[in-house]
Structures are given as structure tokens and as C-alpha cells.
Amino acid sequence: MAARLFFAIACWMAFVLVASAQTALDPSGIWLTEKGDARVHVSRCGAGICGVVVWLRDPNNPVTGKPEVDDKNPNPALAKRPMIGLSLFIGMRSTGPGRWSGQIYNADDGGTYASKVAVTGPETLRVEGCLGAFCGGENWSRFGR
């Protein structure tokens, strides 16, 4: 009887540890950009992850008073799309536990760049973009847990 109880407790503890590790590496949720000017909803989609702008500190253009649009986009048809609802991650596929690689759209300059995303802590998502050998990145903070 004691052996069964020990086995049951050991199985439960293993399950809890695995579930905690998976949760710690799960990027799903709302993330605040490093500058604090946008919140991005990251979710699983297919074999990868998606990231969509869900909030802006300044949602309206101060000149027009209308909602901000993707006006830095070089494609005139896309330059009119709203910023809120804009998809930032393109083809982000898993490269290992808590890591993804693909492309990222930068609405600040209208460019699309090679990108890596990694969960670097329970409250931190590292988002990097590269143009050739030149890379930059920022740490996003988990919002509203």
C-alpha cells in the first residue's frame, strides 16, 4: 500500500513539474512592448505563434483624430489598415522549447525582418529582428496576469 501511495505521489509531482515547465515556456498571453507603447496578444497558431497588436498607448492619430493606421508601410493598399489588429509575426515556427524563428513586421518603419522570439523568463519575452548581420531586439513584459 505504501509503495502505491509513493508511486502515486511521484507521478503527481512529475506531472506538476512538467506542466510548470511547459507553462513557463508558453508565450501565450498579452505582452507589453519595451517602450510601453503597445500590447501584443501572442497565441499559438498552427505549429507556430502569432502576435497581434491589441492596444496602443496613443490609439488615435493626433493630427486626424482617427485611429492610427499602418502609414509607414510601403504598400499603399496596406498603409490604410488599422494598427490595432495588425499581425506582427510571420511564419514563426518553433526552433526549440520556448523559441521561435520567422519574420517580424516593424510598423515603426514598415519593414519586415528576420526574427527570433524566445521566452527568457516567466514574465519576459525576447523579440529580435535582423537585417543582414545587424540585429536589434527588446524585452517585452507579460501584461495582466
Side-chain angles (χ1 to χ4, degrees):
M1 179 73 159
R4 285 186 185 172
L5 180 59
F6 176 75
F7 179 73
I9 290 171
C11 287
W12 177 79
M13 288 178 65
F15 172 77
V16 168
L17 288 173
V18 168
S20 295
Q22 288 175 340
T23 300
L25 297 176
D26 185 7
S28 299
I30 307 290
W31 296 90
L32 182 65
T33 60
E34 194 167 89
K35 294 177 191 171
D37 57 355
R39 293 181 195 148
V40 179
H41 180 250
V42 176
S43 61
R44 301 278 183 165
C45 57
I49 58 173
C50 295
V52 176
V53 176
V54 294
W55 175 88
L56 296 172
R57 180 188 307 140
D58 300 314
N60 293 325
N61 182 308
V63 174
T64 66
K66 295 181 180 178
E68 286 287 356
V69 295
D70 188 20
D71 58 359
K72 305 274 187 321
N73 196 305
N75 181 335
L78 297 178
K80 293 180 174 117
R81 63 186 174 173
M83 289 296 295
I84 293 180
L86 186 66
S87 183
L88 301 180
F89 297 163
I90 304 158
M92 283 288 175
R93 299 289 178 240
S94 178
T95 58
R99 298 184 176 283
W100 297 265
S101 181
Q103 294 183 306
I104 190 165
Y105 176 71
N106 182 354
D108 291 338
D109 65 11
T112 300
Y113 303 95
S115 178
K116 292 180 183 176
V117 174
V119 177
T120 58
E123 303 298 319
T124 308
L125 189 69
R126 179 72 182 164
V127 180
E128 297 179 347
C130 298
L131 179 61
F134 300 101
C135 297
E138 59 183 51
N139 294 318
W140 293 359
S141 302
R142 195 176 286 278
F143 180 82
R145 228 188 217 202

